[in-house]
Amino acid sequence: MNHRAIGAIFNFEINRARRTIGQSIISPVLSTILYFIVFGAAIGGRIDAIEGVSYGAFIVPGLIMQTVLAQSISLASFAIYFPRFSGTIYELLSAPVSFAEVVTGYVGAAAVKALTIGLIILATSFFFVPIEILHPFWMLAFLFLTCITFCLLGFIIGIWADGFEQLQMIPLLVITPLSFLGGSFYSIKMLPEFWQNVSLLNPVVYLVSAFRWSFYGTADVAVGISLAVILAFLCISLAVIAWIFKTGYRLRN
Amino acid sequence: MTAAISVRNLSKTYATGFSALKDVNLDVRRGEIFALLGPNGAGKTTLISTICGIVRPTAGTVEVCGHDISKNYRAARSSIGLVPQELTTDAFETPWNTVAFSRGLFGKPANPAHIEDLLKRLSLWDKKDTQIRRLSGGMKRRVMIAKALSHEPTVVFLDEPSAGVDVALRTSMWEQIRELRATGVTIILTTHYLEEAEEIADRIGVIRKGELILTEDKTDLMKKLGKKELVIDLYEAMNSTPPSLAPYAPALHADGRQIVFTYDDRNGGIPQLLAALNASNIRYKDLSTRQSSLEDIFIHLVGQP
Ligand SMILES: Nc1ncnc2c1ncn2[C@@H]1O[C@H](COP(=O)(O)OP(=O)(O)OP(=O)(O)O)[C@@H](O)[C@H]1O
Ligand SMILES: [Mg+2]
């Protein structure tokens, strides 16, 4: 294994984030905090507690999940798309590295960045709303799994995309709607039965539900099922990555 | 000792159906400078990209220092340094960081002294912490050379190293390429400048429409280049040349009105040929000489339909 190559890619990516810290870390954190202020502190006081949790606190896990999800995809997709776009990918393709090492370097760095963003938002949320974390281990585990899974998905999008438009398309047209309807702002139990069932087709529901459970012990979907869905998503992403590796899809002519 | 590069029956057909390489066979010896010539679109970059692992071959095999590029890609690629034709750099990185990154990517432990030495030799030391986007085109190309040399490769590919490089810098680059060879590195370069090939190459390969149509030692090619023709216009046409001229391998042209000798300076040249003509009592009204250049040979080779 070429561990130095993994390290080189990882460090390169982390350095890039440091250089652009305003754009890569501060701006997603800031925009999420604005949600806390508007929905949690300002409007939240007028909304009833949901399942015994004040509305301001109720939305925190979902908001963290939504941001981490969106950031994972955008960080990882951009990280691999940009070298393809600028042509510097030639070096990765001609280096003695395996595809698995390339994925580990890029996805690892993107996941660390997304995780950092999630933890910063979590830390700042304590200033705005009363929060408790009943299952800290599971909280971190779900956060970590989400970062890895959706960084892998982002990596796949970055390889598939044939232009900046396509790069934005999936996050904008698929992830954002799913994410808003994923139960960050409400419990899906509040929906009519039909829409509850439709919601179960939305993978984000499982992420948010499981993550909120790790905070307050209440879930829209049984935690075991959520975990299974997240792991299944992880496996699908890995399978697609393996297929890209085998065929050289969009990487090697 | 195995060849630095050994290409066997290599073919490449792109997804578009375009056949860019057709059954190419090539051996590049260790420690030589091999120049690949050919018109635009001939397949030079495709050949290099295939050897370096950027393009997948459709058929055939390639070994680099005895390592198969697909079965043993790590060993094969570890020994290669590539400076591609296009200027592609990490615009927002500094030369120092990007060169250190390349070294790590190729699995070598960090070695600041080596990178310092490289940047100094390529006159980039004072720019080491400047963002690459603020460098000139020629400097960017040197950054790419530094990246390619960062992991101390034994085989170096330079795809049009002199494109966009001024004349003075080109001469100094030739010097550096020779220095590199002196350390035992094998160099494969492509160029559109025949004088560049003449100046630094040990061997020359010509590629045309995906086919490698010639590989020769430069000195042999220069011998062809050194060959000259003496054209004699005769008073009277003849059916055949007299036996006395046989040692000079004459050829009759223009319905017997011209005798053409191919000669070079080593076998006596024009004076001896003229003496032979006089001795055979052949009268002539005019004579002229012509010389074929590498350029002619090249155009002749690649110009064929
Ligand atoms: N990705 C690709 N898909 C389809 N055709 C390609 C691709 N890359 C190159 N070609 C074609 O293959 C042929 C050889 O291209 P190549 O870049 O190898 O030429 P070259 O000899 O390096 O030319 P130049 O002197 O202009 O650099 C060209 O006709 C080109 O159009
Ligand atoms: Mg080319």
Side-chain angles (χ1 to χ4, degrees), chain B residues 230-304:
Chain B
L230 174 65
V231 182
I232 308 286
D233 288 313
L234 302 170
Y235 261 113
E236 290 153 28
M238 49 173 72
N239 293 326
S240 63
T241 51
S244 55
L245 289 180
Y248 306 103
L252 276 180
H253 284 281
D255 298 326
R257 291 177 178 283
Q258 266 184 0
I259 302 182
V260 178
F261 295 100
T262 306
Y263 70 97
D264 58 47
D265 300 329
R266 288 163 309 154
N267 58 17
I270 295 175
Q272 197 165 339
L273 290 169
L274 293 183
L277 284 171
N278 290 334
S280 309
N281 283 321
I282 295 172
R283 292 201 305 142
Y284 50 90
K285 48 185 178 190
D286 199 6
L287 58 85
S288 61
T289 62
R290 58 180 186 229
Q291 176 176 1
S292 58
S293 65
L294 179 54
E295 205 114 9
D296 289 337
I297 297 173
F298 182 73
I299 287 165
H300 172 69
L301 280 169
V302 303
Q304 288 165 1

Side-chain angles (χ1 to χ4, degrees), chain A residues 97-157:
Chain A
V97 290
S98 69
F99 188 68
E101 288 155 1
V102 172
V103 172
T104 308
Y106 278 108
V107 169
V112 165
K113 287 186 241 180
L115 195 65
T116 308
I117 292 169
L119 292 177
I120 293 176
I121 297 172
L122 177 62
T124 39
S125 67
F126 279 98
F127 293 105
F128 297 96
V129 277
I131 289 186
E132 54 178 333
I133 302 172
L134 291 180
H135 310 286
F137 168 78
W138 283 108
M139 191 275 290
L140 287 174
F142 280 125
L143 201 56
F144 183 74
L145 273 176
T146 304
C147 290
I148 296 289
T149 305
F150 288 91
C151 284
L152 284 170
L153 179 64
F155 191 88
I156 294 167
I157 293 172

Side-chain angles (χ1 to χ4, degrees), chain A residues 253, chain B residues 14 16 18 20 38-46 85 160 192:
Chain A
N253 284 311
Chain B
Y14 280 109
T16 54
F18 183 82
N40 287 139
K44 303 180 294 294
T45 300
T46 302
Q85 183 173 5
E160 293 196 31
H192 287 289

Side-chain angles (χ1 to χ4, degrees), chain A residues 158-187:
Chain A
I159 286 193
W160 162 81
D162 234 353
F164 278 99
E165 243 163 60
Q166 287 189 352
L167 196 65
Q168 307 283 357
M169 205 165 78
I170 293 195
L172 230 58
L173 296 184
V174 183
I175 305 298
T176 307
L178 287 183
S179 178
F180 265 90
L181 302 175
S184 297
F185 298 103
Y186 54 86
S187 162

Side-chain angles (χ1 to χ4, degrees), chain B residues 14-210:
Chain B
Y14 280 109
T16 54
F18 183 82
S19 175
L21 291 177
K22 295 163 193 157
D23 201 31
V24 171
N25 287 285
L26 170 68
D27 277 305
V28 178
R29 300 170 196 146
R30 294 211 187 200
E32 74 175 349
I33 298 179
F34 187 90
L36 204 51
L37 304 178
N40 287 139
K44 303 180 294 294
T45 300
T46 302
L47 177 58
I48 289 178
S49 302
T50 310
I51 298 171
C52 294
I54 296 167
V55 168
R56 291 181 172 219
T58 310
T61 58
V62 179
E63 287 183 2
V64 180
C65 301
H67 307 292
D68 186 279
I69 55 158
S70 65
K71 290 191 200 87
N72 203 352
Y73 71 93
R74 279 192 208 268
R77 291 184 199 166
S78 295
S79 40
I80 296 179
L82 166 65
V83 184
Q85 183 173 5
E86 306 280 332
L87 272 180
T88 49
T89 50
D90 292 301
F92 297 96
E93 274 299 345
T94 63
W96 178 275
N97 284 346
T98 195
V99 174
F101 168 77
S102 299
R103 189 175 166 87
L105 197 61
F106 278 74
K108 286 286 177 82
N111 184 350
H114 174 64
I115 295 176
E116 180 174 340
D117 179 51
L118 264 180
L119 292 180
K120 281 183 174 159
R121 273 195 288 143
L122 290 162
S123 318
L124 288 167
W125 184 243
D126 56 327
K127 302 282 182 195
K128 70 181 165 68
D129 297 320
T130 309
Q131 282 196 345
I132 292 172
R133 68 196 168 114
R134 298 194 213 286
L135 302 183
S136 78
M139 291 172 187
K140 283 181 190 148
R141 191 164 290 280
R142 280 179 277 150
V143 170
M144 295 183 70
I145 295 175
K147 278 166 80 73
L149 299 179
S150 66
H151 58 282
E152 299 153 74
T154 52
V155 178
V156 171
F157 288 91
L158 301 164
D159 200 348
E160 293 196 31
S162 46
V165 173
D166 68 44
V167 180
L169 215 70
R170 198 179 299 162
T171 321
S172 91
M173 203 172 60
W174 290 344
E175 208 40 61
Q176 283 173 342
I177 291 174
R178 284 198 199 92
E179 275 172 28
L180 203 58
R181 182 189 44 188
T183 65
V185 173
T186 307
I187 292 147
I188 296 97
L189 57 88
T190 72
T191 180
H192 287 289
Y193 302 101
L194 295 170
E195 92 240 31
E196 182 165 70
E198 283 186 33
E199 176 72 27
I200 57 171
D202 298 312
R203 282 202 306 149
I204 288 174
V206 178
I207 190 165
R208 178 177 58 106
K209 293 185 181 169

